[in-house]
Amino acid sequence: MFQDNVLKNYLKNVYFIAGTPCGGKTSASNALGERYGIPVYNADEMFPIHQSRSDAVFQPNMNRSFTSADEFFGRTVDEYVNWLINNTREQLDFVLLDLVRLSQSGRVICDCHLTPEQAEAISDVSRVAFLIKEPINIAEEYCSRPDHKDFRDYVYSASAPETAKAVCSEALYRLNIGLYESARSGKWCFIDRADGLSLEETVSRLGTHFGFSKTKEVTVVKVEKGSALAEELVRFIENCSWEEVKEHNAVMVRNWDFAENEAVFAAVADGRIVGTATLMNTDYYPLPEIYPWVSGVFVDEEYRGNRISQKLIDFANKAAGELGYERTYIPTPYIGLYERFGYRYLRDIVNYGGETDHLYVKEI
């Protein structure tokens, strides 16, 4: 078990958006990430992956299966509540480890289930917000929403749908009423859906609370061999925080180990380089038939949250198109990071170190 101060230190780049069902946290998280160019980690979307990595001995609730809606909703309310609590608690270990890894390269917005007590243990008040709605008739509201059609179909597959909805609503009420009241206690940033804020107003309030910077004026340029900008880029890479690859990348730029159809790009703001990316024929994978790769994307911590990664990737794709390519590829260990830049998952690949990553492709 990690001590709280250790987790807080390693999660200092994570901004948590939690709350009650129907509080709007997923819509707000996605819109906030889009506005500020910050990747969004959705714990619910990750559940199937975490479940596949879990063990029935250590995570029994995550591995419990139900043969029918009647069995699922046929539990007592207390049984339902305890299962939900334990299910979330078991997944939280997977979520936190994902966030520790993902947030080392920059800010991350986390859409997840946290109680105020859990939030206080792993983060700071300034990096947590609760989006809430009084938890009354939650099952009825879920059934009326198009994005919860699967839930509605499951409820109505029960032999007594109204009873199933009543059990579900009562369980969700008991589980969330304490969170609803605690979030409103004055210590936490919260937005109550009853206040009637628009999505844009909600995102603005969250951006202010989290202290996200306004977009800076950034220019992306192609770096030419032997130029002063190339020399500056070597220094930028040598002093960056990407410890695993910075020595290798600096040597490549210093020696200009690039083919004629490869390219190096720099993002410039406030008169200095603040980010870089490359367009490469190969990457850290034994896949010579796949190219070109958008590789080595890195943005200085001070300038993250300003969509600079997207500007670099877009510029690299434009350059690839001018070279006659119809698509580009990006490898990543993460899910949900590059979809927002127009990439789609292609398949899993194994790098030279034997680790499995996800391969994404974009048509240009």
Side-chain angles (χ1 to χ4, degrees):
M1 176 65 68
F2 295 106
Q3 296 298 319
D4 291 350
N5 67 304
V6 175
L7 281 174
K8 285 183 178 181
N9 182 270
Y10 276 88
L11 296 173
K12 62 186 177 183
N13 283 334
V14 180
Y15 297 83
F16 293 94
I17 299 181
T20 65
C22 301
K25 62 186 179 65
T26 297
S27 296
S29 296
N30 291 335
L32 187 68
E34 178 66 26
R35 176 178 294 190
Y36 292 99
I38 301 174
V40 177
Y41 177 97
N42 185 305
D44 285 342
E45 291 179 357
M46 291 297 296
F47 185 82
I49 295 174
H50 295 156
Q51 188 179 46
S52 70
R53 296 171 179 170
S54 65
D55 187 292
V57 174
F58 299 103
Q59 292 87 27
N61 295 276
M62 289 179 67
N63 285 274
R64 183 175 177 184
S65 59
F66 300 88
T67 59
S68 67
D70 284 339
E71 182 184 359
F72 185 87
F73 294 110
R75 294 172 288 175
T76 67
V77 172
D78 286 341
E79 289 173 336
Y80 196 166
V81 169
N82 288 332
W83 175 76
L84 288 170
I85 291 172
N86 291 324
N87 207 48
T88 302
R89 176 183 53 78
E90 290 172 2
Q91 191 197 5
L92 186 58
D93 291 339
F94 294 96
V95 170
L96 294 179
L97 288 175
D98 281 350
L99 291 172
V100 167
R101 182 177 62 170
L102 182 58
S103 65
Q104 297 312 298
S105 59
R107 294 171 174 173
V108 177
I109 296 167
C110 178
D111 169 6
C112 65
H113 304 282
L114 285 179
T115 65
E117 294 74 21
Q118 289 170 328
E120 189 165 22
I122 64 175
S123 190
D124 184 83
V125 172
S126 64
R127 297 194 299 274
V128 180
F130 290 94
L131 270 60
I132 58 176
K133 181 180 184 296
E134 190 172 6
I136 298 175
N137 294 328
I138 294 296
E140 189 67 48
E141 185 166 347
Y142 271 177
C143 285
S144 66
R145 286 170 47 172
D147 58 327
H148 284 77
K149 181 180 181 299
D150 289 345
F151 175 81
R152 183 185 186 282
D153 291 345
Y154 191 58
V155 168
Y156 279 90
S157 71
S159 56
E162 296 305 317
T163 301
K165 283 194 287 187
V167 170
C168 182
S169 286
E170 177 62 22
L172 291 175
Y173 177 83
R174 291 191 193 179
L175 183 64
N176 288 282
I177 187 60
L179 186 156
Y180 176 80
E181 293 172 347
S182 295
R184 294 175 58 89
S185 64
K187 178 176 182 176
W188 301 97
C189 169
F190 75 91
I191 299 174
D192 194 327
R193 200 156 191 173
D195 294 337
L197 295 185
S198 66
L199 181 58
E200 183 177 352
E201 290 170 330
T202 298
V203 169
S204 294
R205 184 174 294 186
L206 290 171
T208 299
H209 168 65
F210 290 142
F212 294 161
S213 59
K214 296 181 179 179
T215 302
K216 302 176 187 290
E217 190 64 35
V218 178
T219 302
V220 179
V221 296
K222 181 180 178 182
V223 180
E224 301 295 340
K225 178 181 179 180
S227 65
L229 192 63
E231 295 178 5
E232 183 183 346
L233 182 58
V234 171
R235 293 191 293 273
F236 171 77
I237 296 172
E238 288 176 335
N239 292 291
C240 79
S241 61
W242 197 358
E243 297 294 339
E244 295 86 352
V245 301
K246 70 178 186 180
E247 183 177 351
H248 171 76
N249 289 353
V251 169
M252 286 194 68
V253 177
R254 186 183 300 111
N255 298 334
W256 207 258
D257 296 330
F258 301 104
E260 185 175 344
N261 62 335
E262 296 180 324
V264 184
F265 312 103
V268 180
D270 300 331
R272 65 186 182 92
I273 294 177
V274 299
T276 184
T278 56
L279 187 68
M280 304 285 291
N281 292 330
T282 61
D283 208 325
Y284 189 52
Y285 305 86
L287 299 167
E289 72 279 9
I290 293 178
Y291 61 90
W293 303 78
V294 177
S295 180
V297 180
F298 178 83
V299 176
D300 185 271
E301 286 86 345
E302 180 183 349
Y303 286 79
R304 290 174 185 172
N306 294 299
R307 300 189 179 184
I308 297 176
S309 292
Q310 182 170 1
K311 293 177 189 290
L312 284 162
I313 292 169
D314 287 347
F315 198 92
N317 278 309
K318 181 181 178 182
E322 292 172 351
L323 288 169
Y325 294 113
E326 297 180 350
R327 61 190 60 85
T328 61
Y329 300 88
I330 287 183
T332 176
Y334 308 119
I335 295 173
L337 184 59
Y338 290 108
E339 287 92 335
R340 54 195 309 278
F341 298 150
Y343 282 83
R344 60 178 173 83
Y345 169 78
L346 190 60
R347 60 186 173 90
D348 281 357
I349 55 176
V350 178
N351 62 35
Y352 283 113
E355 298 174 333
T356 299
D357 291 325
H358 310 299
L359 179 64
Y360 283 80
V361 62
K362 180 176 181 178
E363 311 297 329
I364 56 176

